[in-house]
């Protein structure tokens, strides 16, 4: 509509020149949509102002260059030069209107995305609560099993039962908090690894490295899905496997790496739900809890599967 009003301004345009003006209207509309759907995400999502300004200058100049070539060759010089400033002005107005439209559109879509992430988190929490049927009863039962295993000199079973009780206590208490000490999360990972090793006929080679973790905090349950995924799909219980977990922190950054051996011939015969909320949900939680404060990378090679995560976090 905006372009059509511009078209009606020029009564001196002859009928034979309508095709040329129609071409201008097409260029005008194309400029609007390129700015809205291609350049605005660079500014809003990537937050790269320099890159945006470079492209916006190109986008402003390109329509004027096309119009210059098109109109100068086919229309009278008088018509062209008398209206070139108007062309430039309308392109500027075009970009301004598309900026407003693109900004509002991306804000609405971002609010929608955040709503669905929060809704998914609530649904996950609800499922977790449903799974915690009478947790005190479970703790008491585990304590009984622990005492029984000790009385029968089954030290390995007793240790595993104690670790399982720790995991349940973690899921009952810490998982609902906004942030917890990173060392608590690592204790959870270590207990989980000990239990998972029990299912392996051939014990995997597991290497863990934890450095400078004392003063860091993290959103609870954020790292376990990646370790869980490594055991579920990468660690073959009947073959020699390797798993390397590294958590190294500096002043305000947590560097997490999980690398496991991977065999494409290994198939999971029985799908398990597990303690974790899943890698997909973990990615959504990263976007929600650490927006623009994390990097996430998955590298799948012939024999290894790697997850690299960097989080800008607060210290205790």
């Amino acid at each position: 509509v905006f372009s059509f009003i511009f078209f009606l301004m020029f009564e001196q345009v002859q009928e034979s020149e309508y095709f040329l003006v129609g071409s201008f209207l097409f260029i005008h509309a194309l400029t609007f949509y390129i700015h809205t759907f291609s350049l605005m995400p660079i500014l809003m999502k990537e937050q790269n102002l320099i890159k945006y300004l470079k492209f916006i200058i190109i986008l402003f100049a390109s329509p004027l260059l096309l119009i210059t070539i098109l109109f100068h060759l086919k229309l009278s010089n008088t018509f062209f030069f008398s209206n070139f400033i108007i062309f430039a002005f309308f392109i500027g107005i075009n970009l301004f209107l598309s900026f407003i439209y693109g900004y509002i559109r991306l804000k609405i879509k971002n609010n929608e995305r955040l709503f669905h992430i929060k809704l998914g988190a609530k649904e996950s929490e609800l499922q977790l609560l449903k799974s915690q049927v009478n947790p005190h009863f479970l703790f008491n039962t585990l304590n009984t099993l622990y005492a029984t295993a000790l009385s029968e000199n089954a030290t390995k079973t007793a240790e595993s039962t104690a670790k399982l009780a720790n995991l349940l206590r973690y899921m009952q208490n810490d998982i609902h908090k906004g942030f917890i000490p990173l060392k608590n999360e690592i204790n959870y990972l270590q207990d989980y690894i000990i239990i998972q090793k029990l299912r392996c006929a051939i014990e995997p080679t597991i290497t863990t490295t934890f450095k400078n973790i004392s003063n860091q905090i993290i959103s609870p349950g954020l790292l376990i899905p990646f370790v869980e995924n490594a055991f579920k799909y990468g660690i073959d219980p009947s073959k020699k496997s390797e798993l390397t977990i590294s958590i190294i922190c500096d002043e305000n950054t947590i560097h997490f790496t999980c690398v496991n051996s991977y065999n494409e011939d290994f198939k999971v015969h029985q799908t398990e739900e597990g303690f974790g909320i899943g890698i997909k949900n973990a990615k959504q939680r990263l976007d929600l809890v650490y927006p623009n404060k994390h990097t996430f990378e998955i590298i799948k090679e012939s024999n290894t599967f790697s997850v690299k995560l960097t989080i800008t976090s607060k210290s205790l």
Side-chain angles (χ1 to χ4, degrees):
V1 172
F2 177 79
S3 301
F4 187 68
I5 292 174
F6 175 81
F7 169 73
L8 294 178
M9 290 176 59
F10 300 99
E11 298 179 357
Q12 66 267 45
V13 178
Q14 301 299 317
E15 186 174 349
S16 61
E17 298 167 341
Y18 281 0
F19 174 76
L20 298 176
V21 179
S23 299
F24 167 74
L25 300 185
F26 173 77
I27 294 171
H28 204 61
L30 188 62
T31 301
F32 181 92
Y33 287 110
I34 289 176
H35 183 232
T36 299
F37 294 103
S38 296
L39 300 193
M40 285 303 294
I42 294 176
L43 180 64
M44 298 287 290
K45 293 182 179 179
E46 299 180 20
Q47 296 185 341
N48 192 330
L49 180 61
I50 302 300
K51 184 178 179 181
Y52 170 78
L53 291 177
K54 289 180 181 177
F55 280 113
I56 200 68
I57 292 172
I58 295 173
L59 186 62
F60 179 77
S62 297
L64 292 178
L65 179 62
L66 290 173
I67 293 167
T68 300
I69 297 172
L70 185 66
F71 279 48
H72 188 58
L73 291 178
K74 299 297 183 180
L75 297 180
S76 65
N77 288 340
T78 304
F79 175 84
F80 173 75
F81 287 112
S82 63
N83 294 288
F84 182 80
I85 300 301
I86 298 179
F87 294 158
F89 174 76
F90 270 72
I91 290 296
I93 295 296
N94 182 335
L95 295 176
F96 176 72
L97 293 177
S98 63
F99 177 88
I100 294 175
Y101 172 73
Y103 179 85
I104 295 174
R105 174 180 174 273
L106 289 175
K107 276 292 184 182
I108 292 174
K109 288 177 70 67
N110 186 57
N111 290 339
E112 229 175 68
R113 182 179 63 86
L114 289 177
F115 172 77
H116 286 297
I117 290 175
K118 290 180 180 179
L119 183 62
K122 287 295 182 183
E123 289 178 352
S124 297
E125 185 178 354
L126 178 60
Q127 292 301 320
L128 180 64
L129 290 173
K130 287 181 179 179
S131 68
Q132 295 172 339
V133 180
N134 202 346
H136 296 293
F137 169 77
L138 290 177
F139 291 143
N140 291 336
T141 303
L142 287 172
N143 287 334
T144 302
L145 293 175
Y146 176 75
T148 302
L150 286 179
S151 66
E152 296 175 350
N153 293 322
T155 55
K156 197 171 184 180
T157 302
E159 181 187 11
S160 302
T161 303
K163 298 299 182 184
L164 179 57
N166 290 339
L167 295 184
L168 289 175
R169 191 170 290 107
Y170 174 91
M171 299 299 290
Q172 174 67 20
N173 298 326
D174 284 354
I175 202 68
H176 299 292
K177 299 177 182 177
F179 294 92
I180 62 171
L182 178 59
K183 59 184 179 181
N184 289 12
E185 182 81 1
I186 291 176
N187 289 338
Y188 173 44
L189 286 176
Q190 291 174 317
D191 288 344
Y192 180 80
I193 289 171
I194 290 173
I195 291 177
Q196 285 297 318
K197 285 167 65 175
L198 294 176
R199 72 184 181 96
C200 299
I202 299 178
E203 186 172 304
T205 301
I206 299 177
T207 304
T208 58
T209 302
F210 308 122
K211 294 183 179 180
N212 303 325
I213 62 173
S214 301
N215 298 321
Q216 295 292 338
I217 60 175
I218 193 171
S219 179
L222 197 59
L223 303 181
I224 186 61
F226 306 113
V227 179
E228 180 185 33
N229 189 72
F231 274 102
K232 187 175 180 181
Y233 297 106
I235 303 299
D236 189 339
S238 60
K239 295 181 180 179
K240 186 177 180 180
S241 304
E242 295 182 359
L243 173 62
T244 301
I245 299 171
S246 170
I247 301 177
I248 300 175
C249 306
D250 53 32
E251 185 176 354
N252 62 348
T253 306
I254 300 172
H255 302 274
F256 169 77
T257 304
C258 180
V259 182
N260 60 271
S261 54
Y262 179 77
N263 184 356
E264 292 186 353
D265 296 330
F266 172 57
K267 303 295 182 183
V268 180
H269 298 291
Q270 182 178 1
T271 302
E272 305 161 351
E273 294 297 330
F275 282 107
I277 56 177
I279 288 183
K280 181 179 179 181
N281 197 290
K283 291 179 182 178
Q284 292 177 330
R285 289 183 61 207
L286 282 167
D287 290 336
L288 182 62
V289 181
Y290 300 102
N292 303 316
K293 293 183 179 180
H294 74 276
T295 61
F296 178 77
E297 183 181 15
I298 290 179
I299 303 173
K300 184 178 179 182
E301 298 175 338
S302 57
N303 296 317
T304 60
F305 186 90
S306 306
V307 174
K308 296 183 179 180
L309 173 64
T310 300
I311 298 173
T312 301
S313 178
K314 298 177 182 179
S315 299
L316 286 174

